[in-house]
Amino acid sequence: MTQLFKLSNLTTFLVRFIQIIIVFPMAVLISFYLPPISFIDYELNFLLCVMLAAIISVVVTSINKKLILLAFVGIMGAMFFNSTFDDYTVENLYADYNAMLVNMTSNSSKVSYFKPVKGTYFQERRVKSAMQPTHPAVRSFAVEHSTRYFHDEYYRKYGKMVRYFSLFKHVRNSWRYVNDPLGLDYYSPPTESIKLLAGDCDDYAILMASSIMAIGGEARIVISPNHMYTEVKMGTVEDLDKVSYAVRSLFPDEVTGGKIHFHETNGELWINFDYTAGYPGGPFLEPELYSVINFTNS
């Protein structure tokens, strides 16, 4: 009798344990397939997913304790054998879980705001001449590396910004800084840069802007006192919370508690894609601006 009692207690404990630990993996999966409520922020949306997952866990357990065990085995089996969710494994689940914790403990409204001052600069014509967003080699490079990182579930959740982030990650992680020839301000064309993945700040900015534009994005190049870098349009300032949440989800180790840095122009949201930043929207090397070079009307 005592042995049966102990066995019953052990079973109850295991059921309760599974009932608890299944909540967060289920919440992560629900967050991918349940459209977010537009008028509340993303942290609250994820809390709602956690609550829904907890309710499902309790209801399933109340119907039949074996069902919660089957649900647990099913979710874990799908992750391990990668049969239900394309390219979504246990490693992805852990990364998403970690990212959710980062988002829950970070304030997405922490941003740095500097309004750009439009102007002219002698480099503008040279920069525009160096751009190659429609060159087949640049297009091929951009397409290949815009799909290199972040599985398709992220694309379905966050949209085209995931492609820009993948491109940023590849170019930034591969880039090696090399100075221009002595006494010459050399602007490397993207067709040269994609082979070398090396150069200085203007070479990087021209390559990044050309590559983003090659996959349908809007980019511009900003010139500061001693630097040049790319900014990418991410929608309007009303999209800041969504963009911030996506950055923190896809770059949790790089962002940690950092801010999302951006410029606003006529309500448009432009975030920093500089190689000196560890993540899209990372800190500006120089907040003071001399000129903003736009390409939409070029």
Side-chain angles (χ1 to χ4, degrees), residues 17 99 108 120 125 136 154 173 198-199 252 290:
F17 178 72
S108 62
T120 58
R125 180 170 296 180
Y154 285 121
N173 289 351
Y290 277 171

Side-chain angles (χ1 to χ4, degrees), residues 67-123:
L67 289 177
I68 196 67
L69 179 60
L70 290 175
F72 176 75
V73 172
I75 291 176
M76 292 299 104
M79 300 306 159
F80 276 109
F81 295 105
N82 194 19
S83 58
T84 302
F85 304 97
D86 293 338
D87 300 323
Y88 198 82
T89 63
V90 173
E91 184 179 352
N92 297 131
L93 180 64
Y94 174 77
D96 288 333
Y97 175 69
N98 182 48
M100 292 300 178
L101 292 181
V102 170
N103 278 289
M104 295 289 287
T105 57
S106 300
N107 184 352
S108 62
S109 65
K110 286 184 177 179
V111 294
S112 295
Y113 173 84
F114 305 100
K115 190 170 184 178
V117 178
K118 291 184 179 180
T120 58
Y121 200 72
F122 71 90
Q123 295 152 299

Side-chain angles (χ1 to χ4, degrees), residues 85-285:
F85 304 97
D86 293 338
D87 300 323
Y88 198 82
T89 63
V90 173
E91 184 179 352
N92 297 131
L93 180 64
Y94 174 77
D96 288 333
Y97 175 69
N98 182 48
M100 292 300 178
L101 292 181
V102 170
N103 278 289
M104 295 289 287
T105 57
S106 300
N107 184 352
S108 62
S109 65
K110 286 184 177 179
V111 294
S112 295
Y113 173 84
F114 305 100
K115 190 170 184 178
V117 178
K118 291 184 179 180
T120 58
Y121 200 72
F122 71 90
Q123 295 152 299
E124 182 169 339
R125 180 170 296 180
R126 292 185 59 209
V127 168
K128 288 187 174 182
S129 296
M131 293 287 292
Q132 296 177 312
T134 59
H135 194 288
V138 177
R139 162 72 180 174
S140 178
F141 172 86
V143 170
E144 177 184 357
H145 299 298
S146 68
T147 57
R148 176 177 290 273
Y149 299 97
F150 313 126
H151 57 78
D152 287 342
E153 294 298 336
Y154 285 121
Y155 179 75
R156 285 189 277 271
K157 185 178 178 71
Y158 299 124
K160 59 185 180 181
M161 73 173 80
V162 172
R163 302 299 186 220
Y164 308 154
F165 293 163
S166 177
L167 195 54
F168 169 88
K169 185 169 184 175
H170 173 72
V171 178
R172 183 186 180 276
N173 289 351
S174 305
W175 192 261
R176 294 164 296 167
Y177 190 90
V178 178
N179 289 318
D180 282 338
L182 186 63
L184 176 65
D185 194 11
Y186 177 73
Y187 287 1
S188 173
T191 48
E192 180 180 302
S193 295
I194 61 177
K195 298 175 183 177
L196 303 174
L197 286 177
D200 64 0
C201 63
D202 44 58
D203 302 326
Y204 181 95
I206 291 168
L207 172 61
M208 181 61 71
S210 294
S211 299
I212 292 293
M213 293 169 65
I215 55 172
E218 293 185 54
R220 66 186 187 184
I221 289 180
V222 177
I223 300 173
S224 60
N226 302 291
H227 191 50
M228 184 185 294
Y229 60 93
T230 301
E231 289 185 332
V232 177
K233 183 180 175 182
M234 290 292 172
T236 67
V237 288
E238 285 75 22
D239 299 315
L240 177 59
D241 284 343
K242 178 181 179 181
V243 173
S244 175
Y245 190 87
V247 172
R248 294 179 190 282
S249 295
L250 299 175
F251 296 86
D253 295 332
E254 292 86 352
V255 178
T256 58
K259 301 177 181 181
I260 305 300
H261 298 74
F262 70 98
H263 287 129
E264 179 270 336
T265 304
N266 299 323
E268 297 173 344
L269 178 66
W270 296 81
I271 72 169
N272 182 20
F273 264 52
D274 191 7
Y275 74 91
T276 64
Y279 54 91
F284 293 111
L285 182 65

